[in-house]
Amino acid sequence: HGGNNSPATVANLISSTIPAEGYTPGTTYTLTLTGDYQGRTKYGFELSVNNSTNASLGGFVHTNTATKAINTKSATHSNNGTAAPSGSRTWTLDWTAPAAGTGNVTFYLVVNATNSNGSSAGDVVLKSTLAVSEKIDPCVINDVSVSADNVQLCQSASTTISVGNSQSGISYQLKNAANDANIGAAQNGSGNTLVFNTGTLSTSTTFKVQATKNANCTLTLTQKPTVNVSNDPVPTISASGTTAFCQGDS
């Protein structure tokens, strides 16, 4: 059926378990859709969800027999999901939030409230929207201490770099401050001190540590210790006393 009148915009026909601060990417939530119009005993709906560029996202999961997919992007009622003997109708289905960076999304619901007379005469079309933001995980990385356990070495020696009070949920990577090259493998913060080996050093080197929470949240820690490497001393040999000898003398 299609209503004879222009769709009427009605607030709050869509409710959800999505928290006020927004959806968390990859998390599944429950949506509840409502059709309610005086004197109507049969309802149908169509539901879609779009991002800010109006691209359809989908992600609907049908958890009962009252709803079904129109296609991979939209949902609708099933044949046994239309009756409303009490005058109103609700449907529930799940929605899995899209990937991080999708941004704000809007659900678009159209409900057809019918009088079951076999024609569109007297049908009423209701529409409603629900705007939801993406929950942005705040970028908080503590600028913890970084120190060299030995700041003076001879050539071909090594030492360790310590990162104090490492933060859980943060990955730490030791780097050469001059060329940004990684040194060894990254380590995950645990609340304790992390220890990195510098490897064998042939020249004085300044080190830095990059802390990473996610692709959009990184911090190069302020302290950048320098390890000085001294050249090995070259011995000098000199003779004293008589320096001229005949063959066989000592």
Side-chain angles (χ1 to χ4, degrees), residues 116-202:
S116 300
N117 66 358
S119 73
S120 61
D123 291 356
V124 176
V125 178
L126 310 173
K127 64 179 182 179
S128 192
T129 61
L130 175 66
V132 178
S133 60
E134 178 181 355
K135 181 180 179 181
I136 303 301
D137 194 13
C139 182
V140 179
I141 299 178
N142 299 331
D143 193 7
V144 296
S145 64
V146 182
S147 60
D149 298 309
N150 193 337
V151 297
Q152 189 69 47
L153 298 177
C154 293
Q155 280 189 331
S156 301
S158 65
T159 187
T160 54
I161 304 294
S162 295
V163 176
N165 300 312
S166 64
Q167 186 178 345
S168 296
I170 305 298
S171 173
Y172 296 86
Q173 176 65 63
L174 182 65
K175 290 175 171 281
N176 185 316
N179 58 19
D180 204 43
N182 291 346
I183 299 171
Q187 298 185 36
N188 293 323
S190 61
N192 299 317
T193 297
L194 303 180
V195 178
F196 296 84
N197 195 293
T198 62
T200 301
L201 300 177
S202 58

Side-chain angles (χ1 to χ4, degrees), residues 29-62:
Y29 302 96
T30 297
L31 306 174
T32 300
L33 317 176
T34 301
D36 190 359
Y37 196 87
Q38 185 177 6
R40 302 306 187 267
T41 58
K42 194 172 185 179
Y43 292 85
F45 79 91
E46 288 189 13
L47 178 69
S48 62
V49 57
N50 293 6
N51 64 13
S52 59
T53 62
N54 211 35
S56 186
L57 300 174
F60 298 116
V61 180
H62 300 279

Side-chain angles (χ1 to χ4, degrees), residues 137-139 141 169-171 211-218:
D137 194 13
C139 182
I141 299 178
I170 305 298
S171 173
T212 301
K213 186 172 185 178
N214 55 53
N216 300 312
C217 181
T218 63

Side-chain angles (χ1 to χ4, degrees), residues 213-236:
K213 186 172 185 178
N214 55 53
N216 300 312
C217 181
T218 63
L219 173 70
T220 298
L221 303 183
T222 298
Q223 295 179 341
K224 300 179 178 67
T226 296
V227 176
N228 296 303
V229 176
S230 301
N231 293 327
D232 292 334
V234 178
T236 58

